[in-house]
Amino acid sequence: METLLHYLIPTLLVLGTVAFMEWFAAWSHEHIMHGWGWGWHKSHHEPHDEALEENDLYAVVFAVFAVGLFILGAYLWPVWWIAVGISIYGVLYFFMHDGLVHQRWPFKYIPRKGYLKRVYQAHRLHHAVQGRDGCVSFGFVYAEPVDKLVKKLHTNQRPFDPEALKDDEQRPSIH
Ligand SMILES: [Zn+2]
Ligand SMILES: [Zn+2]
């Protein structure tokens, strides 16, 4: 029993934190980055040639916060596992968003089916609307079905780029 709890509680803390972080990331993306925090996030919605974006500062803020929790976690063990969860989420975020969708890694892989394709297309739809308002799909690891998102774009009555879903290897990479 004791061994079970020894593993169970950290596992639940990590999984719970990862799930919470997806909710929190989607919430803050919609209400902060597309709200009063648009100043930094704007750089991510505009085409550019630089390797870094002002928007990356958000990742730095999250990383500093996680490091802070690791330090606190040295004294308070549940906090340490929460910091582990946030770090795992950071890796997932980088893989899905920076890697898969925006190809900030040195190879090109476009998912053609299943879950990865859905998340990929959903985030392309996030970038299909110009500017801050009327965007859809704010999560990074979970995405609503693509047809639902397209319906939402129509309801929002904002012009959007229908090319976003084109399944074309030659398509220029988006920023
Ligand atoms: Zn955005
Ligand atoms: Zn993006």
Side-chain angles (χ1 to χ4, degrees):
M1 187 64 187
E2 215 170 284
T3 350
L4 181 73
L5 282 180
H6 186 77
Y7 289 105
L8 188 66
I9 291 174
T11 307
L12 289 179
L13 278 171
V14 170
L15 293 180
T17 303
V18 171
F20 172 80
M21 282 304 291
E22 170 62 7
W23 174 82
F24 182 69
W27 183 87
S28 51
H29 185 191
E30 183 170 3
H31 298 285
I32 298 176
M33 283 80 161
H34 282 251
W36 55 265
W38 177 248
W40 281 0
H41 191 56
K42 188 172 178 244
S43 60
H44 181 60
H45 279 264
E46 284 171 347
H48 62 83
D49 295 320
E50 291 89 53
L52 290 174
E53 301 168 347
E54 234 177 320
N55 183 56
D56 294 325
L57 289 170
Y58 281 119
V60 176
V61 170
F62 274 102
V64 167
F65 183 67
V67 169
L69 288 186
F70 271 117
I71 293 168
L72 189 65
Y75 307 96
L76 217 63
W77 68 266
V79 175
W80 198 84
W81 290 109
I82 290 171
V84 170
I86 294 177
S87 306
I88 291 175
Y89 184 78
V91 172
L92 286 175
Y93 167 83
F94 177 80
F95 178 83
M96 302 300 284
H97 179 259
D98 291 66
L100 207 61
V101 183
H102 295 294
Q103 289 153 17
R104 296 176 88 181
W105 50 27
F107 57 93
K108 193 164 181 157
Y109 166 72
I110 296 175
R112 300 283 178 208
K113 58 179 169 24
Y115 161 74
L116 290 181
K117 181 182 178 184
R118 171 162 151 177
V119 173
Y120 174 86
Q121 291 196 322
H123 194 70
R124 287 191 62 87
L125 284 176
H126 177 70
H127 284 275
V129 178
Q130 272 207 0
R132 173 185 130 163
D133 303 313
C135 295
V136 293
S137 191
F138 293 92
F140 301 101
V141 174
Y142 168 79
E144 281 183 90
V146 170
D147 52 341
K148 236 177 142 180
L149 293 170
V150 172
K151 249 189 223 151
K152 257 193 198 169
L153 280 170
H154 286 294
T155 322
N156 286 355
Q157 292 191 323
R158 297 270 307 178
F160 68 96
D161 180 10
E163 299 274 298
L165 289 181
K166 259 202 180 154
D167 206 13
D168 175 9
E169 205 73 71
Q170 299 311 310
R171 184 179 51 207
S173 62
I174 55 166
H175 293 284

